[in-house]
Amino acid sequence: MEQEEMRRKIRETVHRTKEDCPLVPSITNTVTINLVANAQLAAGGSAAMVYLPDEGEGMAAAGSAFYINMGTLMPFYAETLPRTARALQEHKRPWVLDPVGIGIGSLRKGLLQCFRALPPSIVRGNASEIIALANLWGLGDGRTKDGVRGVDATDSVKSARSAAENLAKFIHGAVAVSGEQDLVTDGQVTVMSEGGSVLFTKITGAGCSLGGVTAVYAAETSPFIAALTAVQAYNLAGSRAEKRAAGPGTFEKYFLDALYKASPEDIAENPFQLI
């Protein structure tokens, strides 16, 4: 797929999303839930946050796509997450997995291992999380700088390319790796999206909300275009917000405004390169 074809598909995806307002439920990080929901709304989707097993199953059927973020696990998620993933598979709904904090605790590891048999359409994470998930699923080379430090990356985006491409091929979907530049791949085509802001690292929930917005776009298009569209929208909105912000507090406010106001053409024209 050539760049101009990707840009056309991005424009179409953003336009359809704003027209359709797809319902995209989430099971997400309780620390970042407000920003996730607000970003989904700003991108043109409809948000619904759920917790319990029957809620997950019900919303998997009712929604157009789904977002699962591993950030703050509750004990009952041991039942909620597998049941939701099975329902998503049964109803053929696309869904996004964010393996936040992979390597922290046995419950998180067991649930992420469970998803190997119930794979998502898209995985979004930082470089260390993507490498760690590929290794957990037996798809990586076992190499990482020093693993995940809490929820922070200790590896570069470029070092995660092989793991991301292997994961994308395995799930027959797409992987997005967040960092100074963002990598998006379907296992065959790999791009780097430019822009964004260093202030994303100074607010809680930038990555989590990106996963939520990726799921909104996944309701309207293929996994690869959904992931690329979300990354493009975030990099554009982040760049615009940084120009107006005095610091992290005002950055978040201006970021949501910029995400809401971004046109399909603006998002498509944000710089990205095939690598």
Side-chain angles (χ1 to χ4, degrees), residues 43-269:
S46 177
M49 304 302 168
V50 298
Y51 299 90
L52 302 177
D54 60 338
E55 293 177 343
E57 289 176 325
M59 295 308 288
S64 299
F66 209 99
Y67 176 45
I68 294 179
N69 179 296
M70 305 291 290
T72 45
L73 293 183
M74 310 291 188
F76 51 83
Y77 281 1
E79 183 179 356
T80 299
L81 298 189
R83 283 175 56 177
T84 302
R86 281 193 290 270
L88 289 164
Q89 187 177 75
E90 177 186 346
H91 294 287
K92 296 181 172 57
R93 299 288 192 266
W95 67 282
V96 177
L97 171 65
D98 193 328
V100 177
I102 182 171
I104 303 174
S106 58
L107 174 60
R108 194 179 308 268
K109 180 179 179 180
L111 287 169
L112 286 169
Q113 188 65 275
C114 161
F115 292 144
R116 191 182 192 280
L118 298 163
S121 311
I122 302 169
V123 178
R124 192 228 66 88
N126 65 41
S128 296
E129 290 164 347
I130 295 303
I131 292 170
L133 184 64
N135 289 340
L136 179 65
W137 286 2
L139 306 171
D141 57 16
R143 291 181 295 175
T144 180
K145 184 177 178 182
D146 27 40
V148 181
R149 187 187 67 184
V151 298
D152 297 328
T154 59
D155 298 277
S156 70
V157 170
K158 287 184 178 179
S159 72
R161 178 176 180 172
S162 176
E165 289 175 344
N166 289 343
L167 275 171
K169 290 174 187 174
F170 178 78
I171 65 176
H172 302 289
V175 173
V177 189
S178 299
E180 290 186 8
Q181 289 184 307
D182 297 319
L183 181 151
V184 180
T185 183
D186 65 359
Q188 303 296 329
V189 177
T190 301
V191 304
M192 294 288 283
S193 175
E194 302 173 11
S197 170
V198 68
L199 289 175
F200 276 136
T201 67
K202 304 301 180 184
I203 64 171
T204 300
C208 297
S209 59
L210 173 56
V213 169
T214 302
V216 169
Y217 291 134
E220 299 291 343
T221 190
S222 69
F224 176 74
I225 294 298
L228 180 57
T229 303
V231 163
Q232 288 280 98
Y234 261 60
N235 283 335
L236 174 70
S239 297
R240 289 180 170 179
E242 184 180 67
K243 294 175 182 176
R244 301 183 64 191
T250 51
F251 174 76
E252 182 175 323
K253 174 178 69 174
Y254 289 132
F255 165 70
L256 286 171
D257 285 350
L259 184 62
Y260 176 73
K261 293 179 179 178
S263 71
E265 293 73 22
D266 290 343
I267 293 170
E269 291 304 317

